[in-house]
Amino acid sequence: MEIVLAESLGFCMGVKRAVDMAYRAIEKADGQQVVTLGPLIHNAQEIERIERDGIKTSDENSIPENSTVIIRAHGVTPQALHSLKARGLKIMDGTCPYVHYSQRKALELYEAGYTVVIAGDRNHPEIRGILGYINDDAYVVKTVEEVRALPALDRAGIIAQTTISPKKYQAIIDALGEKAREVKVCETICDATEENQKAIRELSAEVEMLYVIGGRHSANSNKLVETAREKCPRATLIETAGEINPEDLRGVGRIGIGAGASTPDWMIQSVVERLRAIAEG
Ligand code: SF4
């Protein structure tokens, strides 16, 4: 069985940056607690490793005094940031630069008088953070049907959740064009997502079966599976190498591997090793 890795897979720049920042914080902490505000990434196994190394996951109400707080790549509302600073906590801001860009674009649209429309998931922390910059005053839409249900708009400005698929974003933009007199489009989908999406699309056309390694709650990992299934119906999401069932691989000549933006290299490696062991029988 041939094992082929997607050309682009795993940790994106934003997640790598936030994880590195947390480890730098530990070095400088001088005995003080380092916490992340919410899970640093959507990957239970990597969170376990991080916690073993002394970086705890916390929420706003249970941060110990004098801690260093790491803001994760999804970002937070400006109100949350302000309240942490007011408590005298040390902040290290791991907000991904792409997310900062989206926050700025949303604010620019809002201040310029546009009705802000966000293509994405209202409950995703990235979107909740962005909404905080514009007084929660935006329509958040996930589907074309939701756009069609909006009232008629005059000047609409649209941004996308960084992990949305370009195809879905374009469909939402087109639908918005029928609802609003003017639509100003901001390109806020991040390159890392596009690169992983492109790589999985190419790979899925060349393999009989494909595993995407990623957290079950990771939006971008689930989207990779969705994309892969267009060409490879046997694309499956797994969190760990332990989920691989050798029976499923019977007769498979070529298997592909992709990984979500929150999947560390050590987990990709463990899947490769397990597949090699199965192939060697
Ligand atoms: S997926 Fe993109 S936007 Fe999100 S953290 Fe990674 S690099 Fe940043």
Side-chain angles (χ1 to χ4, degrees), residues 90-101:
K90 187 164 177 234
I91 312 292
M92 288 178 82
D93 190 355
T95 306
C96 175
Y98 285 112
V99 176
H100 267 315
Y101 179 75

Side-chain angles (χ1 to χ4, degrees), residues 101-247:
Y101 179 75
S102 296
Q103 293 168 343
R104 277 203 310 276
K105 282 289 154 193
L107 188 58
E108 273 173 34
L109 291 172
Y110 186 66
E111 288 181 341
Y114 286 92
T115 299
V116 180
V117 179
I118 304 174
D121 178 356
R122 172 171 280 280
N123 296 317
H124 192 282
E126 176 189 316
I127 303 304
R128 289 205 305 267
I130 291 170
L131 285 168
Y133 282 82
I134 52 174
N135 294 325
D136 273 348
D137 190 2
Y139 291 109
V140 183
V141 289
K142 251 174 134 174
T143 61
V144 164
E145 289 67 38
E146 286 179 15
V147 179
R148 291 195 181 124
L150 295 179
L153 302 171
D154 184 29
R155 296 165 73 226
I158 184 162
I159 66 167
Q161 186 172 330
T162 51
T163 47
I164 200 174
S165 85
K167 202 169 141 194
K168 189 179 255 181
Y169 190 36
Q170 191 54 54
I172 286 176
I173 291 167
D174 292 346
L176 189 61
E178 291 168 18
K179 275 281 165 189
R181 184 181 61 79
E182 178 197 335
V183 179
K184 186 172 169 62
V185 176
C186 300
E187 297 300 342
T188 54
I189 296 179
C190 92
D191 289 350
T193 309
E194 284 192 60
E195 274 172 28
N196 281 5
Q197 285 281 347
K198 187 167 166 269
I200 208 86
R201 191 169 292 117
E202 286 169 6
L203 181 61
S204 62
E206 299 164 6
V207 293
E208 291 145 62
M209 199 175 157
L210 193 148
Y211 286 126
V212 171
I213 315 159
R216 301 230 184 277
H217 302 294
S218 154
N220 82 82
S221 300
N222 280 296
K223 283 197 187 99
L224 287 175
V225 177
E226 202 180 299
T227 302
R229 283 195 183 144
E230 288 172 14
K231 298 267 170 59
C232 178
R234 292 183 70 191
T236 311
L237 182 73
I238 54 169
E239 284 199 344
T240 66
E243 290 173 39
I244 298 171
N245 180 357
E247 286 301 312

Side-chain angles (χ1 to χ4, degrees), residues 54-110:
I55 302 160
K56 300 286 174 228
T57 304
S58 183
D59 60 39
E60 262 183 79
N61 303 319
S62 53
I63 303 170
E65 293 293 304
N66 301 320
S67 297
T68 299
V69 183
I70 312 295
I71 304 297
R72 58 190 175 169
H74 299 314
V76 288
T77 62
Q79 297 80 2
L81 210 51
H82 180 77
S83 106
L84 295 171
K85 283 183 186 158
R87 286 161 65 184
L89 296 160
K90 187 164 177 234
I91 312 292
M92 288 178 82
D93 190 355
T95 306
C96 175
Y98 285 112
V99 176
H100 267 315
Y101 179 75
S102 296
Q103 293 168 343
R104 277 203 310 276
K105 282 289 154 193
L107 188 58
E108 273 173 34
L109 291 172
Y110 186 66

